[in-house]
Amino acid sequence: MKLGGLVTAGGLATRMGGPLAVDKALVRPWGASGPTLLERAYGELARLASPVWVACRAGRSYAGYACVTDATPDCGPMGGIEAGLAAAEAAGCAALVVLACDMPFMTAGMLERLTAAREAWTARRGEAPLMTAFTLRGSGYFQCLSAVYDTAVLPLLRASLRAGRFGLYGVTPPERRCLVDFSEAEAGFFFNVNTPEDVAAAGRGRPGEPEGLTLSGL
C-alpha cells in the first residue's frame, strides 16, 4: 500500500500575532540551531510516507518542498487536505497521512499506530476506513490533523466544501471511521503551538519527547 504524506502549513497564525505576522511553519521552538516546525513535521512524515507534500496558503511556498495550494480558499485545513488528497490520488497513493506543522511532539512511531490500525481494519472488513484518527480514550473527540485519509474520501470532502461545510468532523460517516485510542499519559504528543507562550512551552521540551505537556495547547 502506497502512502503519501501531507504537512498542513496554511494557517493564518492569528494567535501568534497574525494574521500573517508570523509564519508559524518557520518558527524554531528549540533555538536557531534546531529545526523549524515545518522541518520537524516533514521529517517525521518522510519516515513512513512518500511522497510528502506541504499544504500552503495562496501566495506562499517553501523552497525545497513539494507544495500544494488550497483550491478552495478560506476554508481552513479542509482546503489543504483536499489539495493533498488530489495530489496523492494522482500519484497512485491509497491514502494520505496528514500532520499539522504545529504539532512539534508528534512522532512517526505514533503515526504508525494509525497505519497499523488501518491495515487491521481493512483486513477484517474487506474495505479500508475513509479516515483513521486518534481519539482521547473516553472523550468522543478525535484528532483530524494527525490522521490518515483514504483517497476515496475525496468526493465526500469536495461535496462538503461545495456546501460550505468546512468542519472535518462531519465528512466521514462514523461506520467508515477507524478510531485509535490514546491515553492521558500520551496527550503531550498532541500538544500544538498556537501562541508565543506555546512556542516557549515547546522549547522547554525535546522534539518527540513531550514530557509534562498536555492537550492544553489545542
Side-chain angles (χ1 to χ4, degrees):
M1 177 185 65
K2 183 177 180 181
L3 290 174
L6 180 75
V7 181
T8 60
L12 294 176
T14 53
R15 284 178 280 178
M16 291 288 290
L20 308 184
V22 175
D23 189 337
K24 191 160 55 170
L26 301 181
V27 167
R28 297 181 185 272
W30 301 284
S33 62
T36 65
L37 290 175
L38 174 56
E39 289 167 344
R40 166 101 177 97
Y42 187 95
E44 293 304 302
L45 278 181
R47 291 173 58 187
L48 70 156
S50 179
V52 177
W53 297 273
V54 178
C56 307
R57 59 182 175 267
R60 166 70 71 179
S61 63
Y62 298 97
Y65 295 95
C67 295
V68 294
T69 303
D70 299 4
T72 305
D74 303 321
C75 62
M78 185 182 283
I81 293 174
E82 177 203 14
L85 282 166
E89 186 177 58
C93 298
L96 186 70
V97 187
V98 172
L99 177 61
C101 75
D102 59 3
M103 297 179 70
F105 298 105
M106 183 53 64
T107 65
M110 284 290 286
L111 293 172
E112 283 173 345
R113 286 166 57 176
L114 295 179
T115 60
R118 182 180 186 276
E119 290 177 6
W121 167 295
T122 303
R124 288 195 310 270
R125 304 194 180 202
E127 63 178 357
L130 294 177
M131 179 189 194
T132 307
F134 286 110
T135 181
L136 178 61
R137 190 171 298 141
S139 72
Y141 171 82
F142 55 93
Q143 300 280 331
C144 295
L145 296 180
S146 52
V148 182
Y149 292 83
D150 195 277
T151 53
V153 81
L154 194 49
L156 294 178
L157 194 147
R158 285 174 169 161
S160 187
L161 285 168
R162 287 194 299 271
R165 299 190 301 269
F166 302 148
L168 288 163
Y169 287 98
V171 172
T172 54
E175 66 271 15
R176 294 293 303 279
R177 193 183 297 147
C178 174
L179 297 181
V180 178
D181 283 350
F182 70 92
S183 67
E184 288 281 1
E186 297 170 312
F189 287 102
F190 301 87
F191 178 88
N192 74 324
V193 172
N194 288 316
T195 67
E197 292 75 19
D198 293 336
V199 175
R204 290 191 290 270
R206 292 171 58 86
E209 298 178 17
E211 184 175 353
L213 293 175
T214 69
L215 285 169
S216 61
L218 291 172

PDB file of all heavy atoms in Angstrom, residues 91-122:
ATOM      1  N   ALA A  91      -0.792  10.551  -7.703  1.00  0.00           N
ATOM      2  CA  ALA A  91       0.475   9.837  -7.540  1.00  0.00           C
ATOM      3  C   ALA A  91       0.278   8.345  -7.294  1.00  0.00           C
ATOM      4  O   ALA A  91       1.260   7.619  -7.100  1.00  0.00           O
ATOM      5  CB  ALA A  91       1.280  10.450  -6.399  1.00  0.00           C
ATOM      6  N   GLY A  92      -0.967   7.876  -7.272  1.00  0.00           N
ATOM      7  CA  GLY A  92      -1.235   6.455  -7.066  1.00  0.00           C
ATOM      8  C   GLY A  92      -1.193   6.011  -5.622  1.00  0.00           C
ATOM      9  O   GLY A  92      -1.033   4.816  -5.343  1.00  0.00           O
ATOM     10  N   CYS A  93      -1.348   6.959  -4.686  1.00  0.00           N
ATOM     11  CA  CYS A  93      -1.348   6.603  -3.266  1.00  0.00           C
ATOM     12  C   CYS A  93      -2.733   6.121  -2.843  1.00  0.00           C
ATOM     13  O   CYS A  93      -3.750   6.666  -3.280  1.00  0.00           O
ATOM     14  CB  CYS A  93      -0.961   7.810  -2.410  1.00  0.00           C
ATOM     15  SG  CYS A  93       0.691   8.461  -2.717  1.00  0.00           S
ATOM     16  N   ALA A  94      -2.761   5.135  -1.961  1.00  0.00           N
ATOM     17  CA  ALA A  94      -4.032   4.645  -1.432  1.00  0.00           C
ATOM     18  C   ALA A  94      -4.587   5.566  -0.362  1.00  0.00           C
ATOM     19  O   ALA A  94      -5.802   5.656  -0.178  1.00  0.00           O
ATOM     20  CB  ALA A  94      -3.848   3.242  -0.855  1.00  0.00           C
ATOM     21  N   ALA A  95      -3.698   6.238   0.354  1.00  0.00           N
ATOM     22  CA  ALA A  95      -4.126   7.072   1.474  1.00  0.00           C
ATOM     23  C   ALA A  95      -3.086   8.150   1.727  1.00  0.00           C
ATOM     24  O   ALA A  95      -1.960   8.103   1.203  1.00  0.00           O
ATOM     25  CB  ALA A  95      -4.335   6.218   2.729  1.00  0.00           C
ATOM     26  N   LEU A  96      -3.477   9.115   2.544  1.00  0.00           N
ATOM     27  CA  LEU A  96      -2.645  10.271   2.856  1.00  0.00           C
ATOM     28  C   LEU A  96      -2.538  10.411   4.368  1.00  0.00           C
ATOM     29  O   LEU A  96      -3.554  10.523   5.058  1.00  0.00           O
ATOM     30  CB  LEU A  96      -3.265  11.529   2.247  1.00  0.00           C
ATOM     31  CG  LEU A  96      -2.484  12.833   2.327  1.00  0.00           C
ATOM     32  CD1 LEU A  96      -1.266  12.782   1.407  1.00  0.00           C
ATOM     33  CD2 LEU A  96      -3.375  14.018   1.956  1.00  0.00           C
ATOM     34  N   VAL A  97      -1.315  10.405   4.884  1.00  0.00           N
ATOM     35  CA  VAL A  97      -1.076  10.650   6.305  1.00  0.00           C
ATOM     36  C   VAL A  97      -0.920  12.155   6.494  1.00  0.00           C
ATOM     37  O   VAL A  97      -0.035  12.770   5.894  1.00  0.00           O
ATOM     38  CB  VAL A  97       0.181   9.923   6.807  1.00  0.00           C
ATOM     39  CG1 VAL A  97       0.307  10.065   8.321  1.00  0.00           C
ATOM     40  CG2 VAL A  97       0.164   8.458   6.415  1.00  0.00           C
ATOM     41  N   VAL A  98      -1.794  12.741   7.294  1.00  0.00           N
ATOM     42  CA  VAL A  98      -1.823  14.190   7.479  1.00  0.00           C
ATOM     43  C   VAL A  98      -1.280  14.540   8.863  1.00  0.00           C
ATOM     44  O   VAL A  98      -1.635  13.903   9.861  1.00  0.00           O
ATOM     45  CB  VAL A  98      -3.259  14.728   7.320  1.00  0.00           C
ATOM     46  CG1 VAL A  98      -3.342  16.202   7.703  1.00  0.00           C
ATOM     47  CG2 VAL A  98      -3.749  14.509   5.896  1.00  0.00           C
ATOM     48  N   LEU A  99      -0.428  15.562   8.902  1.00  0.00           N
ATOM     49  CA  LEU A  99       0.110  16.050  10.167  1.00  0.00           C
ATOM     50  C   LEU A  99       0.206  17.562  10.109  1.00  0.00           C
ATOM     51  O   LEU A  99       0.811  18.116   9.192  1.00  0.00           O
ATOM     52  CB  LEU A  99       1.494  15.448  10.442  1.00  0.00           C
ATOM     53  CG  LEU A  99       2.206  15.937  11.707  1.00  0.00           C
ATOM     54  CD1 LEU A  99       1.403  15.611  12.962  1.00  0.00           C
ATOM     55  CD2 LEU A  99       3.611  15.336  11.808  1.00  0.00           C
ATOM     56  N   ALA A 100      -0.387  18.243  11.081  1.00  0.00           N
ATOM     57  CA  ALA A 100      -0.267  19.696  11.170  1.00  0.00           C
ATOM     58  C   ALA A 100       1.160  20.066  11.529  1.00  0.00           C
ATOM     59  O   ALA A 100       1.792  19.411  12.377  1.00  0.00           O
ATOM     60  CB  ALA A 100      -1.237  20.235  12.218  1.00  0.00           C
ATOM     61  N   CYS A 101       1.649  21.141  10.927  1.00  0.00           N
ATOM     62  CA  CYS A 101       3.045  21.530  11.188  1.00  0.00           C
ATOM     63  C   CYS A 101       3.247  22.000  12.617  1.00  0.00           C
ATOM     64  O   CYS A 101       4.383  22.005  13.110  1.00  0.00           O
ATOM     65  CB  CYS A 101       3.487  22.621  10.207  1.00  0.00           C
ATOM     66  SG  CYS A 101       2.834  24.273  10.559  1.00  0.00           S
ATOM     67  N   ASP A 102       2.149  22.382  13.296  1.00  0.00           N
ATOM     68  CA  ASP A 102       2.300  22.958  14.632  1.00  0.00           C
ATOM     69  C   ASP A 102       2.133  21.932  15.753  1.00  0.00           C
ATOM     70  O   ASP A 102       1.786  22.287  16.874  1.00  0.00           O
ATOM     71  CB  ASP A 102       1.335  24.125  14.824  1.00  0.00           C
ATOM     72  CG  ASP A 102      -0.134  23.736  14.659  1.00  0.00           C
ATOM     73  OD1 ASP A 102      -0.416  22.535  14.447  1.00  0.00           O
ATOM     74  OD2 ASP A 102      -0.991  24.632  14.740  1.00  0.00           O
ATOM     75  N   MET A 103       2.387  20.656  15.441  1.00  0.00           N
ATOM     76  CA  MET A 103       2.362  19.610  16.465  1.00  0.00           C
ATOM     77  C   MET A 103       3.793  19.094  16.663  1.00  0.00           C
ATOM     78  O   MET A 103       4.181  18.062  16.115  1.00  0.00           O
ATOM     79  CB  MET A 103       1.420  18.481  16.054  1.00  0.00           C
ATOM     80  CG  MET A 103      -0.024  18.933  15.934  1.00  0.00           C
ATOM     81  SD  MET A 103      -1.147  17.614  15.409  1.00  0.00           S
ATOM     82  CE  MET A 103      -1.157  16.564  16.875  1.00  0.00           C
ATOM     83  N   PRO A 104       4.597  19.813  17.438  1.00  0.00           N
ATOM     84  CA  PRO A 104       6.036  19.544  17.461  1.00  0.00           C
ATOM     85  C   PRO A 104       6.454  18.254  18.154  1.00  0.00           C
ATOM     86  O   PRO A 104       7.624  17.866  18.062  1.00  0.00           O
ATOM     87  CB  PRO A 104       6.604  20.754  18.207  1.00  0.00           C
ATOM     88  CG  PRO A 104       5.483  21.230  19.065  1.00  0.00           C
ATOM     89  CD  PRO A 104       4.237  20.979  18.260  1.00  0.00           C
ATOM     90  N   PHE A 105       5.534  17.578  18.824  1.00  0.00           N
ATOM     91  CA  PHE A 105       5.911  16.372  19.554  1.00  0.00           C
ATOM     92  C   PHE A 105       5.331  15.089  18.963  1.00  0.00           C
ATOM     93  O   PHE A 105       5.581  14.002  19.475  1.00  0.00           O
ATOM     94  CB  PHE A 105       5.522  16.511  21.025  1.00  0.00           C
ATOM     95  CG  PHE A 105       6.234  17.646  21.699  1.00  0.00           C
ATOM     96  CD1 PHE A 105       5.574  18.823  21.990  1.00  0.00           C
ATOM     97  CD2 PHE A 105       7.579  17.547  21.999  1.00  0.00           C
ATOM     98  CE1 PHE A 105       6.236  19.885  22.575  1.00  0.00           C
ATOM     99  CE2 PHE A 105       8.259  18.603  22.591  1.00  0.00           C
ATOM    100  CZ  PHE A 105       7.590  19.780  22.887  1.00  0.00           C
ATOM    101  N   MET A 106       4.575  15.210  17.886  1.00  0.00           N
ATOM    102  CA  MET A 106       4.093  14.012  17.213  1.00  0.00           C
ATOM    103  C   MET A 106       5.266  13.298  16.545  1.00  0.00           C
ATOM    104  O   MET A 106       6.188  13.936  16.034  1.00  0.00           O
ATOM    105  CB  MET A 106       3.035  14.379  16.177  1.00  0.00           C
ATOM    106  CG  MET A 106       2.413  13.187  15.458  1.00  0.00           C
ATOM    107  SD  MET A 106       1.740  11.909  16.557  1.00  0.00           S
ATOM    108  CE  MET A 106       0.432  12.820  17.384  1.00  0.00           C
ATOM    109  N   THR A 107       5.232  11.969  16.561  1.00  0.00           N
ATOM    110  CA  THR A 107       6.340  11.178  16.019  1.00  0.00           C
ATOM    111  C   THR A 107       5.853  10.194  14.965  1.00  0.00           C
ATOM    112  O   THR A 107       4.673   9.833  14.920  1.00  0.00           O
ATOM    113  CB  THR A 107       7.043  10.376  17.131  1.00  0.00           C
ATOM    114  OG1 THR A 107       6.117   9.411  17.651  1.00  0.00           O
ATOM    115  CG2 THR A 107       7.533  11.276  18.258  1.00  0.00           C
ATOM    116  N   ALA A 108       6.793   9.753  14.151  1.00  0.00           N
ATOM    117  CA  ALA A 108       6.473   8.712  13.165  1.00  0.00           C
ATOM    118  C   ALA A 108       5.985   7.452  13.867  1.00  0.00           C
ATOM    119  O   ALA A 108       5.081   6.763  13.373  1.00  0.00           O
ATOM    120  CB  ALA A 108       7.698   8.415  12.305  1.00  0.00           C
ATOM    121  N   GLY A 109       6.543   7.148  15.021  1.00  0.00           N
ATOM    122  CA  GLY A 109       6.118   5.960  15.758  1.00  0.00           C
ATOM    123  C   GLY A 109       4.654   6.025  16.159  1.00  0.00           C
ATOM    124  O   GLY A 109       3.925   5.032  16.057  1.00  0.00           O
ATOM    125  N   MET A 110       4.210   7.192  16.617  1.00  0.00           N
ATOM    126  CA  MET A 110       2.788   7.349  16.945  1.00  0.00           C
ATOM    127  C   MET A 110       1.930   7.222  15.688  1.00  0.00           C
ATOM    128  O   MET A 110       0.894   6.546  15.689  1.00  0.00           O
ATOM    129  CB  MET A 110       2.555   8.708  17.609  1.00  0.00           C
ATOM    130  CG  MET A 110       3.003   8.786  19.054  1.00  0.00           C
ATOM    131  SD  MET A 110       1.977   7.814  20.203  1.00  0.00           S
ATOM    132  CE  MET A 110       0.478   8.827  20.287  1.00  0.00           C
ATOM    133  N   LEU A 111       2.343   7.860  14.617  1.00  0.00           N
ATOM    134  CA  LEU A 111       1.563   7.806  13.375  1.00  0.00           C
ATOM    135  C   LEU A 111       1.494   6.387  12.814  1.00  0.00           C
ATOM    136  O   LEU A 111       0.500   6.020  12.174  1.00  0.00           O
ATOM    137  CB  LEU A 111       2.171   8.758  12.341  1.00  0.00           C
ATOM    138  CG  LEU A 111       2.072  10.247  12.693  1.00  0.00           C
ATOM    139  CD1 LEU A 111       2.874  11.075  11.698  1.00  0.00           C
ATOM    140  CD2 LEU A 111       0.621  10.721  12.741  1.00  0.00           C
ATOM    141  N   GLU A 112       2.522   5.589  13.068  1.00  0.00           N
ATOM    142  CA  GLU A 112       2.493   4.195  12.607  1.00  0.00           C
ATOM    143  C   GLU A 112       1.403   3.397  13.300  1.00  0.00           C
ATOM    144  O   GLU A 112       0.932   2.391  12.768  1.00  0.00           O
ATOM    145  CB  GLU A 112       3.863   3.553  12.817  1.00  0.00           C
ATOM    146  CG  GLU A 112       4.877   4.000  11.763  1.00  0.00           C
ATOM    147  CD  GLU A 112       6.281   3.498  12.047  1.00  0.00           C
ATOM    148  OE1 GLU A 112       6.536   3.043  13.192  1.00  0.00           O
ATOM    149  OE2 GLU A 112       7.116   3.557  11.131  1.00  0.00           O
ATOM    150  N   ARG A 113       0.979   3.840  14.494  1.00  0.00           N
ATOM    151  CA  ARG A 113      -0.166   3.191  15.131  1.00  0.00           C
ATOM    152  C   ARG A 113      -1.426   3.366  14.286  1.00  0.00           C
ATOM    153  O   ARG A 113      -2.275   2.468  14.217  1.00  0.00           O
ATOM    154  CB  ARG A 113      -0.369   3.756  16.536  1.00  0.00           C
ATOM    155  CG  ARG A 113       0.675   3.258  17.526  1.00  0.00           C
ATOM    156  CD  ARG A 113       0.722   4.031  18.819  1.00  0.00           C
ATOM    157  NE  ARG A 113      -0.550   4.072  19.522  1.00  0.00           N
ATOM    158  CZ  ARG A 113      -0.696   4.635  20.732  1.00  0.00           C
ATOM    159  NH1 ARG A 113       0.364   5.158  21.348  1.00  0.00           N
ATOM    160  NH2 ARG A 113      -1.863   4.670  21.328  1.00  0.00           N
ATOM    161  N   LEU A 114      -1.539   4.514  13.636  1.00  0.00           N
ATOM    162  CA  LEU A 114      -2.679   4.742  12.753  1.00  0.00           C
ATOM    163  C   LEU A 114      -2.619   3.849  11.519  1.00  0.00           C
ATOM    164  O   LEU A 114      -3.622   3.241  11.135  1.00  0.00           O
ATOM    165  CB  LEU A 114      -2.737   6.203  12.314  1.00  0.00           C
ATOM    166  CG  LEU A 114      -2.999   7.257  13.381  1.00  0.00           C
ATOM    167  CD1 LEU A 114      -2.986   8.651  12.744  1.00  0.00           C
ATOM    168  CD2 LEU A 114      -4.328   7.008  14.091  1.00  0.00           C
ATOM    169  N   THR A 115      -1.457   3.776  10.881  1.00  0.00           N
ATOM    170  CA  THR A 115      -1.359   2.972   9.661  1.00  0.00           C
ATOM    171  C   THR A 115      -1.552   1.491   9.966  1.00  0.00           C
ATOM    172  O   THR A 115      -2.173   0.766   9.177  1.00  0.00           O
ATOM    173  CB  THR A 115      -0.025   3.214   8.949  1.00  0.00           C
ATOM    174  OG1 THR A 115       1.072   2.861   9.802  1.00  0.00           O
ATOM    175  CG2 THR A 115       0.126   4.683   8.554  1.00  0.00           C
ATOM    176  N   ALA A 116      -1.066   1.046  11.126  1.00  0.00           N
ATOM    177  CA  ALA A 116      -1.269  -0.351  11.509  1.00  0.00           C
ATOM    178  C   ALA A 116      -2.751  -0.630  11.769  1.00  0.00           C
ATOM    179  O   ALA A 116      -3.291  -1.674  11.372  1.00  0.00           O
ATOM    180  CB  ALA A 116      -0.443  -0.692  12.744  1.00  0.00           C
ATOM    181  N   ALA A 117      -3.430   0.302  12.440  1.00  0.00           N
ATOM    182  CA  ALA A 117      -4.864   0.128  12.707  1.00  0.00           C
ATOM    183  C   ALA A 117      -5.655   0.124  11.408  1.00  0.00           C
ATOM    184  O   ALA A 117      -6.619  -0.636  11.252  1.00  0.00           O
ATOM    185  CB  ALA A 117      -5.355   1.244  13.626  1.00  0.00           C
ATOM    186  N   ARG A 118      -5.249   0.958  10.462  1.00  0.00           N
ATOM    187  CA  ARG A 118      -5.925   0.996   9.165  1.00  0.00           C
ATOM    188  C   ARG A 118      -5.787  -0.344   8.442  1.00  0.00           C
ATOM    189  O   ARG A 118      -6.757  -0.862   7.873  1.00  0.00           O
ATOM    190  CB  ARG A 118      -5.344   2.126   8.316  1.00  0.00           C
ATOM    191  CG  ARG A 118      -6.004   2.295   6.956  1.00  0.00           C
ATOM    192  CD  ARG A 118      -5.363   3.452   6.183  1.00  0.00           C
ATOM    193  NE  ARG A 118      -6.091   3.706   4.947  1.00  0.00           N
ATOM    194  CZ  ARG A 118      -5.903   3.056   3.812  1.00  0.00           C
ATOM    195  NH1 ARG A 118      -4.989   2.091   3.745  1.00  0.00           N
ATOM    196  NH2 ARG A 118      -6.615   3.347   2.735  1.00  0.00           N
ATOM    197  N   GLU A 119      -4.589  -0.900   8.455  1.00  0.00           N
ATOM    198  CA  GLU A 119      -4.366  -2.190   7.803  1.00  0.00           C
ATOM    199  C   GLU A 119      -5.191  -3.291   8.463  1.00  0.00           C
ATOM    200  O   GLU A 119      -5.775  -4.151   7.780  1.00  0.00           O
ATOM    201  CB  GLU A 119      -2.882  -2.530   7.830  1.00  0.00           C
ATOM    202  CG  GLU A 119      -2.036  -1.645   6.919  1.00  0.00           C
ATOM    203  CD  GLU A 119      -0.557  -1.968   7.015  1.00  0.00           C
ATOM    204  OE1 GLU A 119      -0.204  -2.950   7.711  1.00  0.00           O
ATOM    205  OE2 GLU A 119       0.247  -1.234   6.408  1.00  0.00           O
ATOM    206  N   ALA A 120      -5.254  -3.289   9.797  1.00  0.00           N
ATOM    207  CA  ALA A 120      -6.018  -4.317  10.514  1.00  0.00           C
ATOM    208  C   ALA A 120      -7.516  -4.184  10.214  1.00  0.00           C
ATOM    209  O   ALA A 120      -8.208  -5.179  10.000  1.00  0.00           O
ATOM    210  CB  ALA A 120      -5.765  -4.199  12.018  1.00  0.00           C
ATOM    211  N   TRP A 121      -8.020  -2.952  10.209  1.00  0.00           N
ATOM    212  CA  TRP A 121      -9.429  -2.707   9.865  1.00  0.00           C
ATOM    213  C   TRP A 121      -9.735  -3.235   8.473  1.00  0.00           C
ATOM    214  O   TRP A 121     -10.744  -3.924   8.253  1.00  0.00           O
ATOM    215  CB  TRP A 121      -9.695  -1.202   9.959  1.00  0.00           C
ATOM    216  CG  TRP A 121     -10.990  -0.704   9.363  1.00  0.00           C
ATOM    217  CD1 TRP A 121     -11.353  -0.728   8.047  1.00  0.00           C
ATOM    218  CD2 TRP A 121     -12.075  -0.085  10.061  1.00  0.00           C
ATOM    219  NE1 TRP A 121     -12.583  -0.147   7.868  1.00  0.00           N
ATOM    220  CE2 TRP A 121     -13.055   0.253   9.093  1.00  0.00           C
ATOM    221  CE3 TRP A 121     -12.302   0.231  11.396  1.00  0.00           C
ATOM    222  CZ2 TRP A 121     -14.241   0.888   9.420  1.00  0.00           C
ATOM    223  CZ3 TRP A 121     -13.490   0.869  11.721  1.00  0.00           C
ATOM    224  CH2 TRP A 121     -14.445   1.177  10.757  1.00  0.00           C
ATOM    225  N   THR A 122      -8.867  -2.917   7.520  1.00  0.00           N
ATOM    226  CA  THR A 122      -9.082  -3.328   6.130  1.00  0.00           C
ATOM    227  C   THR A 122      -9.096  -4.849   6.011  1.00  0.00           C
ATOM    228  O   THR A 122      -9.922  -5.429   5.293  1.00  0.00           O
ATOM    229  CB  THR A 122      -7.992  -2.727   5.233  1.00  0.00           C
ATOM    230  OG1 THR A 122      -7.996  -1.301   5.369  1.00  0.00           O
ATOM    231  CG2 THR A 122      -8.200  -3.084   3.777  1.00  0.00           C
TER     232      THR A 122
END
